[in-house]
């Protein structure tokens, strides 16, 4: 099945100031339960609407592994996810492998490698299109760092790192430093935010947790040991502490709402940091909450004059075999929109 690559026209609306002032953005939390499978939630935190679309790429779709369009390959698996400025930021494939892109100001891909055909921005879609498990992704990522990709109309790089998770509860965090992949692979890596590097976040948890005491004795007055509020290091501590207190859900929907409740949403109009003498800010545009075994997905969108909540099933969407680009920043969306999404495709 031949399809055209995703049109990136919307990307050129991204302002340079947005990339700079939104250096701290997004949180991801993974939760493996005993009886109800694996859940993953993430926020999209940014300084303007990213104009998100739900994209469905059927199995057999052709796509390029770099924005230069030099390497055309065929997708082994269907991939469904949400785009930001036309690029897949969050997704799941037909095998239940899921992935997320988050901002990482410390990304360092090193010098370009002429043996590498993969690009950093298109990396998530490529990994989900070609691999079944987190272990497969880790093997592929160990070899080479992807090459830098620049988007027409944006004169600066887009810095990022990725998380992957599958229905076994396996997890991997992938960062690039000095041109080499740094990978944390294991079910214990359930939280990801942004810079500094992941090793520093783990050190922060080790230090902060010493003051928490035994879990059974922790309560509303437990000092989490954070020194700020919305910065990535404090959000990492917050997400770790509260997700560790989650108790077994009674159902899929109960698991989704429990995990979603642990997400730290950036308040609108919250001060971030000064940029060129002015206080810059960002906020949570939406949250995505997904059950890997069933494909049940809940989205809460909150930006401008749009405040909506809706759900869809990625497995049903993938079974349709349709190429789909469905606008999600729509105030009219509510309830189960799976059929509405499917009917919009071709």
């Amino acid at each position: 099945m031949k399809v055209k690559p995703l049109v990136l026209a919307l990307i050129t609306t991204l302002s340079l100031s947005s990339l700079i002032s939104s250096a701290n953005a997004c949180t991801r939390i993974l939760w493996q339960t005993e009886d109800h499978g694996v859940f993953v939630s993430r926020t999209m935190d940014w300084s303007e609407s990213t104009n998100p679309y739900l994209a469905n790429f059927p199995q057999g779709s052709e796509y390029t592994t770099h924005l230069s369009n030099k390497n055309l390959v065929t997708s082994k698996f269907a991939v469904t996810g949400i785009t930001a400025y036309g690029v897949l930021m969050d997704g799941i494939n037909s095998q239940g492998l899921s992935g997320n892109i988050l901002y990482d100001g410390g990304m360092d891909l090193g010098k370009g490698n002429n043996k590498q055909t993969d690009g950093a921005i298109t990396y998530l879609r490529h990994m989900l299109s070609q691999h079944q498990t987190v272990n497969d992704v880790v093997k592929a990522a160990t070899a080479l760092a992807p090459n830098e990709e620049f988007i027409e109309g944006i004169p600066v790089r887009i810095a990022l790192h990725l998380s992957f998770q599958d229905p076994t509860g396996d997890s991997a965090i992938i960062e690039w430093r000095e041109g080499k992949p740094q990978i944390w692979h294991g079910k214990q890596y359930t939280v990801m935010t942004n810079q500094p590097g992941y090793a520093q976040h783990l050190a922060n948890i080790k230090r902060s947790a010493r003051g928490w005491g035994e879990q059974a004795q922790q309560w509303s007055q437990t000092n989490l040991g954070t020194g700020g509020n919305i910065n990535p290091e404090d959000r990492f501590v917050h997400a770790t502490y509260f997700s560790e207190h989650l108790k077994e859900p009674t159902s899929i929907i109960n698991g989704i709402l429990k995990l979603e409740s642990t997400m730290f949403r950036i308040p609108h109009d919250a001060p971030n940091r000064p940029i060129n003498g002015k206080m810059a800010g960002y906020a949570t545009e939406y949250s995505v909450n997904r059950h890997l075994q069933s494909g049940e997905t809940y989205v809460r969108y909150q930006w401008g004059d749009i405040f909506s909540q809706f759900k869809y099933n990625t497995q049903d969407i993938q079974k349709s075999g349709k190429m789909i680009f469905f606008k999600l920043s729509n105030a009219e969306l509510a309830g189960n929109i799976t059929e509405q999404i499917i009917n919009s495709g071709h």
Side-chain angles (χ1 to χ4, degrees):
M1 177 181 181
K2 285 190 175 183
V3 297
K4 293 182 179 180
L6 177 61
V7 177
L8 299 178
L10 293 173
I11 299 175
T12 57
T13 65
L14 178 60
S15 64
L16 178 60
S17 61
S18 297
L19 284 169
I20 295 174
S21 65
S22 299
N24 306 324
C26 309
T27 301
R28 166 267 201 184
I29 308 177
L30 180 67
W31 183 26
Q32 181 181 16
T33 66
E34 293 183 9
D35 300 320
H36 291 89
V38 179
F39 302 84
V40 62
S41 293
R42 65 86 48 86
T43 60
M44 172 58 77
D45 308 331
W46 206 239
S47 62
E48 63 184 11
S49 172
T50 60
N51 198 14
Y53 277 69
L54 181 142
N56 186 62
F57 305 103
Q59 180 181 4
S61 301
E62 288 188 342
Y63 66 96
T64 58
T65 62
H66 195 284
L67 291 177
S68 65
N69 297 326
K70 293 181 179 179
N71 187 48
L72 192 66
V73 296
T74 301
S75 178
K76 295 179 181 178
F77 309 108
V79 176
T80 307
I82 296 179
T83 67
Y85 304 106
V87 175
L88 195 71
M89 293 285 112
D90 175 273
I92 184 170
N93 71 13
S94 48
Q95 302 300 304
L97 174 67
S98 171
N100 321 95
I101 288 179
L102 277 68
Y103 188 91
D104 174 25
M107 182 185 78
D108 178 8
L109 298 174
K111 296 181 179 180
N113 189 322
N114 57 16
K115 295 182 180 180
Q116 174 62 285
T117 57
D118 300 343
I121 297 175
T122 51
Y123 201 75
L124 175 61
R125 180 183 173 185
H126 182 47
M127 292 295 104
L128 294 180
S129 296
Q130 299 298 323
H131 302 294
Q132 297 188 56
T133 67
V134 169
N135 196 52
D136 293 339
V137 170
V138 169
K139 289 179 181 178
T142 301
L144 294 170
N147 279 330
E148 198 88 70
E149 288 178 288
F150 288 92
I151 298 172
E152 184 178 356
I154 300 178
V156 296
R157 70 173 189 158
I158 296 179
L160 51 86
H161 57 176
L162 299 94
S163 64
F164 290 92
Q165 49 277 326
D166 65 30
T168 70
D170 199 7
S171 171
I173 310 297
I174 303 176
E175 297 179 344
W176 294 286
R177 296 294 186 269
E178 298 180 349
K180 298 179 181 179
Q182 296 189 356
I183 303 174
W184 289 264
H185 181 198
K187 294 184 177 183
Q188 68 271 36
Y189 302 118
T190 59
V191 176
M192 184 170 81
T193 55
N194 315 106
Q195 65 287 330
Y198 204 73
Q200 182 60 55
H201 285 298
L202 297 179
N204 290 346
I205 292 296
K206 185 176 181 180
R207 182 189 65 250
S208 297
R210 288 198 290 264
W212 299 350
E214 295 296 325
Q215 189 174 78
Q217 303 302 316
Q218 294 168 10
W219 64 312
S220 62
Q221 298 302 308
T222 297
N223 189 331
L224 298 189
T226 60
N229 44 65
I230 65 172
N231 69 79
E233 291 178 88
D234 290 342
R235 284 188 280 112
F236 195 104
V237 172
H238 177 280
T240 299
Y241 176 83
F242 286 104
S243 62
E244 287 180 352
H245 280 273
L246 289 173
K247 297 179 181 179
E248 183 71 15
T250 57
S251 63
I252 291 176
I253 182 60
N254 183 246
I256 286 176
L257 75 84
K258 279 191 171 186
L259 186 59
E260 206 266 352
S261 73
T262 68
M263 302 300 290
F264 190 109
R265 288 188 178 84
I266 309 300
H268 285 259
D269 301 325
N272 179 17
R273 60 189 178 92
I275 302 291
N276 297 326
K278 294 183 179 181
M279 184 59 66
Y282 65 107
T284 297
E285 181 187 9
Y286 61 84
S287 58
V288 185
N289 313 283
R290 179 171 287 125
H291 183 242
L292 299 191
Q293 279 79 4
S294 69
E296 285 294 288
T297 304
Y298 285 72
V299 177
R300 173 176 167 174
Y301 188 90
Q302 49 186 56
W303 198 272
D305 296 323
I306 302 175
F307 186 32
S308 60
Q309 185 165 313
F310 47 88
K311 72 172 183 175
Y312 52 82
N313 188 283
T314 57
Q315 292 183 6
D316 291 342
I317 292 170
Q318 289 166 357
K319 289 175 183 177
S320 75
K322 292 183 176 182
M323 175 66 71
I324 297 172
F325 300 108
F326 184 89
K327 188 178 179 65
L328 295 179
S329 53
N330 180 346
E332 303 302 317
L333 298 180
N336 189 341
I337 64 171
T338 304
E339 288 303 315
Q340 189 175 346
I341 292 171
I342 292 173
N343 291 339
S344 74
H346 59 82

